Amino acid sequence: MNNVRKRAGITAGVVLAGIGLAFPAVAFAEDHSKPAAAAEARPHAGKGAELREEHRKELAEALAKDLGVPVDKVTGSLEKFRAAQGEKHREERKDRKDERAGERPDAAALQKKLADRLDQAVKDGKLTRAQADAVIAAAKAGVLPGPGGGPHHQER
């Protein structure tokens, strides 16, 4: 019985050693030329980018087969389309950014609006004049967050 356990232990050790040597050898022997070429073409490419490239290749091959056109021609057309879409999205983002830049309120106008709202709150009896003055002083001192207030808006 003791002999059987020794043999089983030795056999298990040999198998594990063989696996331990086989996997690194297989990983080392893999051909990494294609991913390296893809990585050079797209420096920020990761696993997701590799999957997208594979899907794009499959799409181009399927379209080429269905349309009876060479794969290179379909791939070129798809690349032109993607480039045009990318440019269109960049322009849309730029337009949205330009629109937002024009809407940014002036800090003085915001403080004036705050003062008007606080004056109305005093008239309605929701605040005392001392409370409203304290809020206005805090806004002018840069204590309140938002445009015209907060520590990042204080002049140095």
Side-chain angles (χ1 to χ4, degrees):
M1 190 68 147
N2 202 9
N3 242 357
V4 172
R5 285 187 183 167
K6 283 183 184 177
R7 286 184 185 166
I10 291 172
T11 304
V14 169
V15 169
L16 289 175
I19 290 173
L21 293 174
F23 280 128
V26 170
F28 185 72
E30 284 183 10
D31 180 23
H32 294 290
S33 62
K34 288 185 182 179
E40 289 175 13
R42 291 188 172 81
H44 301 292
K47 187 165 184 116
E50 290 175 13
L51 289 174
R52 278 192 301 278
E53 283 300 316
E54 183 64 31
H55 289 146
R56 288 175 179 174
K57 181 180 175 186
E58 290 172 4
L59 174 65
E61 290 172 354
L63 285 172
K65 181 180 177 187
D66 287 348
L67 298 172
V69 194
V71 176
D72 294 340
K73 189 170 185 179
V74 173
T75 302
S77 294
L78 288 173
E79 286 175 0
K80 286 180 189 176
F81 175 75
R82 284 187 204 104
Q85 289 297 101
E87 183 62 31
K88 176 183 169 189
H89 291 299
R90 279 188 291 280
E91 287 294 321
E92 289 172 354
R93 281 194 304 268
K94 183 181 178 291
D95 291 344
R96 284 193 305 268
K97 183 179 178 185
D98 291 345
E99 289 171 5
R100 285 189 306 249
E103 295 173 3
R104 185 162 255 180
D106 180 37
L110 288 175
Q111 286 184 356
K112 170 82 169 102
K113 189 174 179 180
L114 175 64
D116 292 345
R117 289 179 62 200
L118 290 170
D119 288 341
Q120 186 61 45
V122 169
K123 287 180 187 174
D124 294 343
K126 296 179 181 177
L127 292 176
T128 66
R129 172 53 44 202
Q131 290 171 324
D133 290 341
V135 172
I136 291 170
K140 287 181 180 177
V143 175
L144 299 178
H152 58 283
H153 288 286
Q154 292 179 355
E155 293 188 29
R156 296 178 182 150

